[in-house]
Amino acid sequence: MKPVIYVTRRIPDEVLQPYRDSFEFRMWEKEDVPVPRDVLLKEAASADGLLCLLTETIDHEVLTAAKNLKIVANMAVGFDNIDVEAAREHGVVVTNTPDVLTETTADLTFALMMATARRLIEAADYIREGKWKYWTPYLLAGSDIHGKTIGVVGMGRIGEAVARRAKGFGMSILYHNRSRKENAEQELGAVYKDFPELLQEADFVVSLIPLTEQTSEMFNQGAFKAMKSSAIFVNASRGGTVDEEALYDALINNEIRAAGLDVFVNEPISPKHPLAGLDNVVCLPHIGSASAATRTKMLELCLDNLKAVLNGEQAITPVK
Ligand code: DGY
C-alpha cells in the first residue's frame, strides 16, 4: 500500500503526476477556499503525510487526530502556522520551503518599496478614474529610492537578496538581525545597527523577520514614533510582526510617510480594512513568492520532502 498524502488545497495535476507512483494523494478539491477544520481533522486521521499551506493551523489537535502522520510539509518558508514543538512531541517532521522562493520574494519586496515610494498604484488609479487632465510639476510626486538608506530588519536569505537589489540602486544598507552577517557586511557594505538606531536612520524600514513570540508586534507605536517622518515602512514577512493600529495611527498622524504591506495580522483583509483605505498605503494579498515558476518549485520541494521522509530518509529542508 502506498503512503497516503493529504493535500490541503487543489494543486495542478502535472505537479503531482511524477509522484503518483510513490503516493496515494487525497486532496481538498477547492483552489481558492481553505480546507474546513473538520475536514482537515478527518483527513489527517488517515494520512501519512500532509502537504499544507500557511492557511492551515497545525496544532496539538490535528497532530493527535493524525495517528499515522510522519511529516507535515508546509508550502511556505514561514511556519508560524505550525506548532513545531507539538510536532516534535508527536514525532512528526516539519519541513518548509526556503531558498526556492528567496529571489522571487525579494523581487516583490523591492517592487513594493518602489510602488509605495513612487505612488504607482495611486498613479494608475488616477488614469483609470479619468483624473489626468494636464502634466503638472508635482503631480503624484513621490520619494526617491536611489541614494536613500534602507534598513532591513531580519537579514536572512530574503533580507540579503533585498539588500543586493538595494546596492544596485545605490542605497546605503543598514540591517538588524539576531546575529551579525559578516558576508553581507563585506560584500554589500551592510552596516549592523541595533533596532532603535536602524529605525531612526533608515528611509525605508523593511520587515523580513519571521513571526515568533519575540517578534510579535515588534513594529509598535514606539517603533513608528522612532522612524523619520519621511520613512516608508514595508512588510513582506508576517502581519503579526506589526501592531496594525499603531501603524494606522502613525500614517494618519504623518509620523511616517507611507507603507507597503504584503501581509496582515488576519488574512485575507477586506477593502474596509483601515489600512486598505489610506492613499499612502499599498496593500497586496500576500503574494511575495507568487511567480508561477516559484510556486511550482515550492510544491515540488514539499513533495520531495514528503518522499524523502516517507522513504525513511532525512528531510531536505526540515524546520530546525
Ligand atoms: C512564505 O513562504 O512564508 C510566504 O509568506 C508565502 O510564500
Side-chain angles (χ1 to χ4, degrees):
M1 262 187 15
K2 294 185 214 168
V4 174
I5 307 294
Y6 187 63
V7 185
T8 63
R9 200 68 68 87
R10 179 151 69 80
I11 59 176
D13 197 50
E14 58 270 26
V15 178
L16 294 182
Q17 198 50 44
Y19 300 85
R20 284 201 186 278
D21 285 348
S22 316
F23 301 131
E24 178 189 334
F25 287 109
R26 299 191 187 147
M27 200 188 302
W28 174 243
E29 282 296 338
K30 298 204 168 118
E31 196 184 326
D32 301 336
V33 184
V35 61
R37 182 79 179 171
D38 58 328
V39 176
L40 174 63
L41 287 168
K42 186 166 158 285
E43 293 288 353
S46 57
D48 298 284
L50 271 185
L51 193 170
C52 67
L53 314 187
L54 47 79
T55 42
E56 278 78 62
T57 301
I58 307 296
D59 55 10
H60 255 299
E61 191 185 22
V62 175
L63 293 158
T64 306
K67 298 268 180 282
N68 302 330
L69 196 66
K70 289 161 203 75
I71 165 168
V72 175
N74 201 39
M75 188 202 171
V77 67
F79 48 87
D80 45 285
N81 56 315
I82 299 177
D83 185 338
V84 175
E85 205 38 59
R88 204 165 287 138
E89 283 164 24
H90 285 264
V92 172
V93 175
V94 177
T95 64
N96 65 345
T97 59
D99 302 319
V100 291
L101 49 60
T102 299
E103 300 301 329
T104 301
T105 308
D107 284 348
L108 188 281
T109 307
F110 215 82
L112 191 49
M113 278 171 57
M114 296 184 75
T116 309
R118 295 300 305 270
R119 305 172 60 184
L120 297 189
I121 312 300
E122 264 181 279
D125 285 347
Y126 196 77
I127 294 184
R128 252 190 225 119
E129 290 160 13
K131 291 184 183 158
W132 191 25
K133 304 291 182 223
Y134 308 100
W135 189 91
T136 308
Y138 289 96
L139 176 64
L140 289 157
S143 314
D144 281 326
I145 296 128
H146 70 274
K148 293 293 174 90
T149 298
I150 186 173
V152 178
V153 181
M155 195 66 143
R157 284 170 280 238
I158 300 171
E160 283 190 34
V162 169
R164 280 199 302 278
R165 286 155 177 75
K167 188 175 160 73
F169 274 74
M171 300 181 88
S172 303
I173 302 162
L174 310 179
Y175 78 98
H176 178 72
N177 199 51
R178 272 181 313 181
S179 55
R180 291 284 285 265
K181 291 296 180 102
E182 273 161 32
N183 56 331
E185 293 184 14
Q186 277 156 21
E187 283 161 30
L188 305 170
V191 176
Y192 177 85
K193 293 280 171 180
D194 65 26
F195 188 52
E197 277 178 332
L198 179 144
L199 297 175
Q200 277 164 24
E201 294 175 30
D203 298 305
F204 291 83
V205 177
V206 180
S207 168
L208 289 164
I209 33 169
L211 177 60
T212 63
E213 268 172 33
Q214 291 72 41
T215 63
S216 171
E217 298 198 352
M218 182 167 172
F219 293 95
N220 54 19
Q221 190 188 51
F224 293 118
K225 282 200 188 303
M227 292 180 198
K228 296 179 181 181
S229 58
S230 55
I232 291 177
F233 174 67
V234 169
N235 189 6
S237 60
R238 286 292 182 270
T241 61
V242 176
D243 173 346
E244 287 181 346
E245 244 179 78
L247 173 59
Y248 179 82
D249 289 344
L251 286 159
I252 59 166
N253 295 325
N254 300 317
E255 286 166 4
I256 65 170
R257 193 180 85 54
L261 308 170
D262 185 40
V263 287
F264 301 87
V265 174
N266 293 310
E267 296 176 359
I269 63 163
S270 85
K272 295 202 179 84
H273 189 291
L275 288 164
L278 299 180
D279 286 341
N280 55 346
V281 179
V282 175
C283 293
L284 301 179
H286 202 149
I287 55 166
S289 60
S291 74
T294 291
R295 288 287 163 90
T296 299
K297 284 187 199 149
M298 290 164 71
L299 285 169
E300 286 169 349
L301 181 53
C302 289
L303 290 158
D304 289 340
N305 270 308
L306 285 156
K307 199 166 170 182
V309 170
L310 294 172
N311 278 339
E313 294 159 17
Q314 292 289 319
I316 303 160
T317 50
V319 162
K320 300 279 175 357

